[in-house]
Amino acid sequence: MATAGKVIKCKAAVAWEAGKPLSIEEVEVAPPQAMEVRVKILFTSLCHTDVYFWEAKTPVFPRIFGHEAGGIIESVGEGVTDVAPGDHVLPVFTGECKECAHCRSAESNMCDLLRINTDRGVMIGDGKSRFSINGKPIYHFVGTSTFSEYTVMHVGCVAKINPEAPLDKVCVLSCGISTGLGASINVAKPPKGSTVAIFGLGAVGLAAAEGARIAGASRIIGVDLNPSRFEEARKFGCTEFLNPKDHKKPVQEVLAEMTNGGVDRSVECTGNINAMIQAFECVHDGWGVAVLVGVPHKDAEFKTHPMNFLNERTLKGTFFGNFKPRTDLPNVVELYMKKELEVEKFITHSVPFTEINKAFDLMAKGEGIRCIIRMEN
């Protein structure tokens, strides 16, 4: 392309300070260096992780947030052979170098080189940012920074996908939806006809319910403190609902009574330590499997009686649903293309890039599931 090897000037939503509205600025985006790619972002969406770190959970400012997106490769740096200009890709906040012990393992997706690092605001190759305004660096976020019309990423953080897949739909598969989906399909692995409890019915929890539906679970019990979420959750396969505030007994006891001893599988998607304990203790002895997805407070402690393990309950954790980004995400997109995975129902709002702060307002109000941000009006 004519822009290859040149600095590109484009619009980006810059966070200058924690918790302050993003500002649409003209930024300069440097060409990709060795093992890097520059991507034209066409659609991005807002994930709670962006909001979490925007709300002063990071000391790195000014910064360009964003990590759920879809785009097209504009140019590639030295050594890049897996993708080429024109390829359609999904950026991913955690990468796959394909060379480290984790990437070579069939059991792990936690790449040594490209694992998520929320504190790093620069490229790993040379320790510099590819964004600037009047010579001043603007920092990256989790190696993606998709709230920009163009962004630079390590090649290991982009998954090449079917060019026929609509980017305004499949862009939501690059983070939360795949995390919940994979937690059910790849980790919990509910047998057909089984009973599954989903703790937390936000975007990730709904995706976990969708995964349980796809796997063939016959009962999917949604557990949430907000009953307004229940009707929406029916669209994702939930058959029953439980509000802990409606019961005097611990939730795990209520679920055991509902299911003749406990659910076959549970997936916890809140990050609340009590919900994590409940999710583990509610599974049936002998075969029950609980999967933890939510990220707890750094000082949280998980406490349960050892007999819960000795009675053959299994506790697992997962990161990005155990999907290897470059290897597995193209297959997740194909599930959508074959109409086996419904993505549209996760998308509840859409705004132009110039109104990106509306997406933050919607999330703050708890409205909708995912808001698509259109980079081009």
Side-chain angles (χ1 to χ4, degrees), residues 52-180:
Y52 180 87
F53 286 96
W54 166 74
E55 292 177 332
K57 304 303 189 296
T58 171
V60 185
F61 287 97
R63 201 168 204 182
I64 297 173
F65 287 102
H67 63 284
E68 274 192 0
I72 299 175
I73 299 287
E74 174 269 338
S75 60
V76 303
E78 181 183 353
V80 173
T81 57
D82 285 4
V83 293
D87 286 343
H88 288 217
V89 296
L90 299 183
V92 188
F93 66 92
T94 183
E96 180 186 355
C97 72
K98 297 190 175 183
E99 297 178 358
C100 71
H102 282 279
C103 286
R104 292 196 306 269
S105 169
E107 300 179 16
S108 175
N109 66 343
M110 303 185 72
C111 176
D112 283 329
L113 178 66
L114 300 170
R115 191 178 306 186
I116 185 173
N117 184 331
T118 57
D119 294 327
R120 185 176 60 230
V122 294
M123 302 300 293
I124 61 174
D126 60 4
K128 297 179 180 179
S129 173
R130 301 289 177 260
F131 299 110
S132 64
I133 296 179
N134 296 325
K136 179 181 179 180
I138 308 296
Y139 295 105
H140 297 250
F141 178 64
V142 296
T144 52
S145 292
T146 61
F147 293 167
S148 175
E149 292 175 324
Y150 287 86
T151 187
V152 177
M153 292 171 279
H154 191 283
V155 66
C157 291
V158 296
K160 179 180 175 181
I161 64 167
N162 184 343
E164 299 298 319
L167 291 174
D168 62 330
K169 304 296 191 301
V170 299
C171 64
V172 299
L173 295 175
S174 63
C175 180
I177 309 308
S178 290
T179 294

Side-chain angles (χ1 to χ4, degrees), residues 8 20 27 34 95 121 123 125-126 136 138 193 195 217 230 296 344 360-361:
I8 289 178
K20 298 296 175 67
V27 300
M123 302 300 293
D126 60 4
K136 179 181 179 180
I138 308 296
T195 300
F230 292 168
E344 285 86 353
F360 281 76
D361 293 339

Side-chain angles (χ1 to χ4, degrees), residues 35 43 134 148 160 201 258 352:
M35 301 307 293
F43 299 93
N134 296 325
S148 175
K160 179 180 175 181
L201 297 176
M258 291 173 62

Side-chain angles (χ1 to χ4, degrees), residues 90 252 277 335:
L90 299 183
Q252 52 269 55
I277 294 168
L335 285 178

Side-chain angles (χ1 to χ4, degrees), residues 19-333:
K20 298 296 175 67
L22 305 187
S23 176
I24 303 296
E25 307 277 0
E26 183 177 78
V27 300
E28 293 186 339
V29 185
Q33 301 302 305
M35 301 307 293
E36 296 174 0
V37 297
R38 188 160 59 186
V39 178
K40 181 179 182 180
I41 300 296
L42 297 182
F43 299 93
T44 186
S45 63
L46 181 63
C47 172
H48 185 265
T49 301
D50 296 303
V51 178
Y52 180 87
F53 286 96
W54 166 74
E55 292 177 332
K57 304 303 189 296
T58 171
V60 185
F61 287 97
R63 201 168 204 182
I64 297 173
F65 287 102
H67 63 284
E68 274 192 0
I72 299 175
I73 299 287
E74 174 269 338
S75 60
V76 303
E78 181 183 353
V80 173
T81 57
D82 285 4
V83 293
D87 286 343
H88 288 217
V89 296
L90 299 183
V92 188
F93 66 92
T94 183
E96 180 186 355
C97 72
K98 297 190 175 183
E99 297 178 358
C100 71
H102 282 279
C103 286
R104 292 196 306 269
S105 169
E107 300 179 16
S108 175
N109 66 343
M110 303 185 72
C111 176
D112 283 329
L113 178 66
L114 300 170
R115 191 178 306 186
I116 185 173
N117 184 331
T118 57
D119 294 327
R120 185 176 60 230
V122 294
M123 302 300 293
I124 61 174
D126 60 4
K128 297 179 180 179
S129 173
R130 301 289 177 260
F131 299 110
S132 64
I133 296 179
N134 296 325
K136 179 181 179 180
I138 308 296
Y139 295 105
H140 297 250
F141 178 64
V142 296
T144 52
S145 292
T146 61
F147 293 167
S148 175
E149 292 175 324
Y150 287 86
T151 187
V152 177
M153 292 171 279
H154 191 283
V155 66
C157 291
V158 296
K160 179 180 175 181
I161 64 167
N162 184 343
E164 299 298 319
L167 291 174
D168 62 330
K169 304 296 191 301
V170 299
C171 64
V172 299
L173 295 175
S174 63
C175 180
I177 309 308
S178 290
T179 294
L181 184 75
S184 286
I185 294 177
N186 296 336
V187 188
K189 299 179 180 178
K192 286 187 177 180
S194 60
T195 300
V196 180
I198 307 293
F199 285 74
L201 297 176
V204 176
L206 293 175
E210 180 81 352
R213 180 192 68 80
I214 292 172
S218 61
R219 296 178 68 186
I220 303 174
I221 305 170
V223 182
D224 201 292
L225 296 171
N226 184 356
S228 67
R229 290 177 164 178
F230 292 168
E231 194 56 40
E232 184 77 24
R234 293 186 189 279
K235 301 176 185 177
F236 298 85
C238 284
T239 58
E240 301 158 65
F241 303 97
L242 175 60
N243 185 343
K245 291 188 291 187
D246 293 341
H247 301 270
K248 294 182 179 179
K249 291 182 180 180
V251 174
Q252 52 269 55
E253 293 183 16
V254 177
L255 283 165
E257 291 175 359
M258 291 173 62
T259 57
N260 193 29
V263 298
D264 302 303
R265 301 289 188 267
S266 70
V267 185
E268 190 286 323
C269 303
T270 72
N272 179 282
I273 194 66
N274 291 323
M276 291 181 167
I277 294 168
Q278 293 161 359
F280 175 54
E281 295 182 351
C282 80
V283 299
H284 205 290
D285 58 5
W287 62 78
V289 178
V291 179
L292 305 186
V293 182
V295 180
H297 185 274
K298 62 182 179 65
D299 296 323
E301 294 181 348
F302 187 101
K303 296 181 180 180
T304 191
H305 197 282
M307 283 304 299
N308 288 318
F309 291 99
L310 296 175
N311 285 335
E312 299 182 5
R313 294 177 178 88
T314 299
L315 179 65
K316 293 184 175 184
T318 182
F319 179 72
F320 192 52
N322 276 45
F323 285 121
K324 290 181 182 287
R326 298 163 78 186
T327 300
D328 296 331
L329 266 193
N331 298 326
V332 178
V333 170

